[in-house]
Amino acid sequence: MKSKFRPIGELIELTTEKNKDNTISNLLGINISKNFMPSVANISGTDLSKYKVVRKNIFACNIMHVGRDERLPIALYIDTEPAIVSPAYKTFKVINTQEVLPEYLMIFFQRKEFDRLTWYYCDSSIRGGLDWGRFCEIEIPLPSISIQEKYIRMYTSLLENQNSYQASYYL
């Protein structure tokens, strides 16, 4: 069965949960390898109540620096304990996991072709930001859930094999 194509914006919705009560202190950023990492920002005296909360299966991305980095810093949060990210980040989640799995979407975001497309769509500002509306217009192939699960299993296996190889290389 062929995949149908759907705009990302039809599959996701923005999340806006803030750290209102300042109970979460684990501040994360996103690196250009598309992973969450501990933030390097100096937060001394910063009001963390305005920071956005990320929970399991929520994406965060920094659409402001796509032109500069020639890739979209985006990551899927997989931990069970919530964390916070900059209020400048866009945070979103999949609307219907019966239609698209968050892990499948992240695999799509990992592709170099996706980064080239987002870079092409950047505006002409000094930072080369990506307009949220343009991001939402990007169409992705959407196979059945069973095929998405198959891709996720294959991708996960490949990563495990690569990590095993790299670990054995340094023995």
Side-chain angles (χ1 to χ4, degrees), residues 2 4 10 12 19 72 81 94 103 112 136-137 141 146:
K2 277 185 108 170
K4 54 186 174 186
E10 291 180 5
I12 63 169
N19 188 27
L72 176 65
E81 290 298 315
V94 167
E103 298 89 347
K112 292 201 181 292
C136 289
E137 291 171 1
S146 62

Side-chain angles (χ1 to χ4, degrees), residues 66-131:
V66 177
R68 180 190 74 186
D69 298 332
E70 297 183 13
R71 64 188 75 184
L72 176 65
I74 188 167
L76 173 62
Y77 193 71
I78 58 173
D79 291 340
T80 54
E81 290 298 315
I84 53 175
V85 296
S86 167
Y89 286 3
K90 294 287 187 185
T91 56
F92 61 91
K93 65 181 180 177
V94 167
I95 296 170
N96 181 358
T97 57
Q98 300 301 312
E99 189 172 24
V100 62
L101 298 171
E103 298 89 347
Y104 172 79
L105 195 54
M106 189 62 212
I107 290 170
F108 185 81
F109 293 153
Q110 294 277 7
R111 300 171 64 237
K112 292 201 181 292
E113 292 82 6
F114 177 76
D115 284 330
R116 280 194 285 276
L117 184 59
T118 58
W119 180 72
Y120 176 76
Y121 281 171
C122 283
D123 62 25
S124 60
S125 71
I126 192 74
R127 288 188 175 138
L130 174 64
D131 180 71

Side-chain angles (χ1 to χ4, degrees), residues 6 8-10 17 20 22 33-34 36 55 72-73 84-85 93 99-100 126 128 132 134 137 140 145 152-153:
R6 295 277 305 277
I8 293 171
E10 291 180 5
E17 182 182 0
K20 289 185 216 170
N22 271 324
S33 298
K34 302 183 186 260
F36 281 101
R55 298 182 184 279
L72 176 65
I84 53 175
V85 296
K93 65 181 180 177
E99 189 172 24
V100 62
I126 192 74
W132 181 250
R134 294 295 303 262
E137 291 171 1
I140 66 164
I145 290 294
I152 293 165
R153 284 192 305 273

Side-chain angles (χ1 to χ4, degrees), residues 3-4 18 20 24 44 51 83 105 115 126 139 141 157:
S3 298
K4 54 186 174 186
K18 304 274 186 180
K20 289 185 216 170
I24 304 169
S44 178
Y51 281 60
L105 195 54
D115 284 330
I126 192 74
E139 291 190 344
S157 294

Side-chain angles (χ1 to χ4, degrees), residues 33-64:
S33 298
K34 302 183 186 260
N35 295 305
F36 281 101
M37 63 177 198
S39 176
V40 295
N42 178 3
I43 57 170
S44 178
T46 302
D47 179 9
L48 296 178
S49 68
K50 296 181 180 0
Y51 281 60
K52 293 182 178 179
V53 175
V54 287
R55 298 182 184 279
K56 186 172 177 68
N57 290 329
I58 290 183
F59 292 87
C61 64
N62 182 356
I63 63 174
M64 294 185 302

